[in-house]
């Protein structure tokens, strides 16, 4: 008879939480930002150009070796989560669409891509080879939950306003930093 592993000592629990943290920023980028900017009167063409800032996720292979070389994946995760939380506070205080918005979104995507690298590296170190199959299902599932949770924040913005939504997103990012 095997005994159940306490939740906080269960590797799959942490894998799920980390991949929620990986999916949430992508949801913010693809679900929250376009709706916010459209409501601010930003032209669809400019919103479409914003998608170019998402290239950070495609190009993360360029700096992934540096992150892996220096290790300390949990520190990287915590630092970039704090950074993304600060960007959300910037959006909570920001009105309109100007150059600082482009910089903030570019920074946000770079931080998120770096978070992906650190989470993937940490997960590989955390798991034993025989745990990869089940963990992969947990990873994919919770990544999607993180993306969908950005939609919940978007829904709440309709009831409480954008400032409130961005501040709540920052709280989520700061909470994820603590978890890291």
């Amino acid at each position: 008879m095997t005994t159940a592993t306490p939740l906080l000592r269960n590797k799959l629990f942490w894998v799920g939480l980390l991949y929620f943290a990986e999916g949430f920023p992508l949801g913010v980028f693809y679900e929250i930002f376009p709706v916010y900017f459209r409501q601010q009167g930003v032209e669809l063409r400019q919103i479409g150009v914003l998608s170019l800032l998402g290239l950070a996720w495609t190009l993360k292979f360029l700096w992934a070796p540096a992150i892996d070389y220096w290790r300390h994946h949990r520190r990287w995760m915590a630092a970039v989560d704090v950074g993304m939380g600060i960007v959300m506070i910037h959006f909570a205080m920001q009105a309109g669409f100007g150059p600082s918005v482009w910089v903030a979104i570019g920074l946000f995507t770079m931080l998120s891509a770096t978070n992906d690298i650190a989470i993937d590296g940490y997960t590989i170190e955390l798991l034993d080879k025989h745990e990869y199959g089940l963990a992969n299902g947990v990873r994919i599932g919770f990544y999607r939950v993180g993306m969908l949770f950005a939609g919940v924040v978007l829904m709440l913005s309709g009831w409480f306003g954008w400032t409130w939504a961005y501040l709540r997103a920052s709280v989520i990012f700061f909470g994820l930093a603590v978890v890291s």
Side-chain angles (χ1 to χ4, degrees):
M1 185 167 132
T2 61
T3 60
T5 305
L7 184 63
L8 294 179
R9 298 186 80 184
N10 186 318
K11 291 179 186 179
L12 293 179
F13 168 78
W14 292 108
V15 167
L17 196 55
L18 291 174
Y19 279 85
F20 172 91
E22 193 171 312
F24 183 65
L26 194 69
V28 169
F29 182 76
Y30 283 110
E31 293 178 28
I32 293 178
F33 287 160
V35 172
Y36 171 74
F37 293 128
R38 191 65 186 145
Q39 286 185 356
Q40 300 300 311
V42 176
E43 294 178 19
L44 289 175
R45 182 175 22 137
Q46 287 181 305
I47 294 171
V49 171
L50 278 175
S51 67
L52 290 176
L53 294 174
L55 282 174
W57 286 292
T58 303
L59 299 175
K60 66 185 174 185
F61 71 90
L62 295 173
W63 65 94
I67 302 296
D68 285 338
Y69 176 78
W70 284 304
R71 297 276 184 232
H72 303 292
H73 294 111
R74 290 181 5 193
R75 290 182 189 162
W76 281 104
M77 290 183 282
V80 297
D81 282 335
V82 167
M84 288 186 287
I86 291 169
V87 171
M88 291 296 102
I89 290 173
H90 172 75
F91 276 107
M93 298 182 323
Q94 179 75 21
F97 186 79
S100 71
V101 170
W102 287 91
V103 171
I105 293 175
L107 178 62
F108 181 84
T109 59
M110 291 287 292
L111 292 169
S112 177
T114 303
N115 196 36
D116 292 0
I117 296 164
I119 289 171
D120 292 343
Y122 180 75
T123 302
I124 289 168
E125 291 176 351
L126 175 69
L127 297 172
D128 297 323
K129 206 169 201 164
H130 71 277
E131 297 172 310
Y132 287 171
L134 181 58
N136 193 45
V138 170
R139 288 168 45 177
I140 292 167
F142 277 87
Y143 186 87
R144 295 292 300 161
V145 169
M147 288 179 67
L148 292 172
F149 197 76
V152 171
V153 173
L154 178 61
M155 288 177 6
L156 294 175
S157 73
W159 293 322
F160 302 107
W162 284 108
T163 299
W164 185 92
Y166 283 127
L167 289 175
R168 291 309 168 261
S170 73
V171 168
I172 292 167
F173 283 118
F174 293 140
L176 292 170
V178 170
V179 166
S180 294

